[in-house]
Amino acid sequence: MILSVTDLHVELGGTPIVRGVDVSVDAGEVVALLGPSGCGKTTTLRAIAGLETASAGRIELSNRDLVGVPAHERGLGLVFQEGALFPHLTVRGNIGFATKEARRVDELLALLRLKGLGDRPVHALSGGQRQRVALGRALAPRPALLLMDEPFGSLDTALRIELRSEFFALARETGVAVLLVTHDQDEAASCADRIALMQEGRIAQLGSPEDLRRRPASRFVVQFMGAAALLPGPDGDIVTCPEDLRFDPEGSISGIVEALETAGGMPVAHVRIDDVLVRVIAIGAPPVGETATLTRVGSGHAVLSR
């Protein structure tokens, strides 16, 4: 285990912000702290980094107690949304700021596709290149843990998807543990091995993206993840994902098709069933505005009591 956080509490100005968070990250694992604005995810990360003071709890990095250790002595890598590069230094100077190993800098320039740009001033780089430099600077001293706060948020969609895919593949390959703060459900689901979904300073659910999608612990998880809806069942409300229903002329569930779209390369229909809007794979869907009948398929649906 690289990072172990137990019963973490943080107060800001006397107000509780983080209220008993437990989370861990292993070598080569990406864990996302996900949640709405104000839920405590960034404060949790900052407390682990030593930028905020924990009022209670334990933070361990490779079995070393970090409580009371100054931020610059914790041996962590930090990457923020804007990168916070040193404007007076070159690409090489920024990446090499935290290491004396010239070979390490050359290695990172190659890994991050910055080879040939080492002597360029950072203000002459594109947004994606600047963020690669920030990643390289964080990785240069070979940290066991990398803390990332919305690191791709300032990039356009195509570049964001490309860069995060490359980076997390590199992190897993090199064995770096990553704790990622994001408000983006799709980013967390596509990048993280596990997601810690936070609500009002606590973790509402910690598990794989599939756990949160198929086996949510609460209605908040269903609503925030947005990949499922709740339909009434005999023993409670049934968690229903797009692939759980199919259009069937003989089906027993009826609703009105409100919209048709393509999501992730797949046709999806939005169907209003009673007062619930459910996404359904749109094979066999009638036109928008018409009544459709559907059948529930598959098994093992999670049930939330009413």
Side-chain angles (χ1 to χ4, degrees):
M1 191 71 63
I2 298 299
L3 174 70
S4 176
V5 176
T6 307
D7 196 27
L8 179 67
H9 292 255
V10 183
E11 295 183 358
L12 299 180
T15 301
I17 305 296
V18 178
R19 310 166 186 237
V21 162
D22 296 322
V23 68
S24 63
V25 191
D26 214 340
E29 184 182 30
V30 178
V31 174
L33 289 176
L34 174 67
S37 296
C39 71
K41 56 188 185 293
T42 291
T43 302
T44 297
L45 180 138
R46 289 176 60 83
I48 294 168
L51 302 176
E52 301 290 354
T53 301
S55 54
R58 191 170 182 84
I59 303 169
E60 294 183 344
L61 181 68
S62 301
N63 296 318
R64 176 191 176 206
D65 186 4
L66 294 185
V67 174
V69 177
H72 66 278
E73 295 180 7
R74 295 195 175 197
L76 306 170
L78 291 169
V79 182
F80 298 100
Q81 182 170 333
E82 299 301 329
L85 299 177
F86 300 119
H88 62 289
L89 297 179
T90 63
V91 169
R92 179 179 293 277
N94 269 276
I95 292 178
F97 182 80
T99 179
K100 296 179 180 179
E101 297 181 56
R103 183 179 298 179
R104 175 64 171 164
V105 176
D106 290 334
E107 177 185 88
L108 288 167
L109 287 169
L111 282 172
L112 295 167
R113 293 199 285 134
L114 294 168
K115 198 170 183 178
L117 301 179
D119 295 326
R120 187 170 296 188
V122 292
H123 64 75
L125 301 178
S126 68
Q129 288 170 333
R130 286 195 296 272
Q131 201 63 352
R132 290 176 195 274
V133 175
L135 291 169
R137 187 178 65 187
L139 290 170
R142 306 179 192 274
L145 174 68
L146 194 59
L147 302 177
M148 309 180 77
D149 190 359
E150 305 279 3
F152 311 109
S154 62
L155 306 177
D156 63 62
T157 301
L159 182 57
R160 181 167 66 248
I161 293 171
E162 176 188 5
L163 184 54
R164 76 190 186 196
S165 175
E166 289 179 2
F167 176 74
F168 290 118
L170 174 64
R172 290 184 174 95
E173 180 183 330
T174 57
V176 177
V178 178
L179 187 64
L180 168 71
V181 164
T182 181
H183 68 278
D184 186 332
Q185 300 93 321
D186 292 336
E187 180 168 87
S190 63
C191 298
D193 300 295
R194 291 185 296 140
I195 296 172
L197 178 57
M198 294 190 66
Q199 178 186 18
E200 298 179 350
R202 298 180 174 88
I203 293 181
Q205 187 169 354
L206 173 61
S208 69
E210 187 69 0
D211 284 338
L212 271 67
R213 181 173 179 270
R214 306 290 305 181
R215 293 171 287 278
S218 67
R219 281 167 172 72
F220 168 78
V221 177
V222 175
Q223 291 163 359
F224 189 85
M225 295 304 293
L230 296 173
L231 287 180
D235 301 314
D237 291 332
I238 300 173
V239 177
T240 304
C241 297
E243 66 272 25
D244 294 336
L245 296 170
R246 72 177 181 210
F247 290 99
D248 180 356
E250 306 299 323
S252 60
I253 302 170
S254 69
I256 304 294
V257 179
E258 292 198 354
L260 295 168
E261 66 171 350
T262 299
M266 182 174 293
V268 174
H270 296 258
V271 183
R272 179 73 61 181
I273 301 173
D274 295 329
D275 61 346
V276 180
L277 191 62
V278 181
R279 296 196 304 166
V280 185
I281 295 172
I283 297 172
V288 172
E290 292 195 8
T291 298
T293 55
L294 306 100
T295 295
R296 181 174 284 119
V297 295
S299 59
H301 307 282
V303 178
L304 293 177
S305 59
R306 296 191 184 96

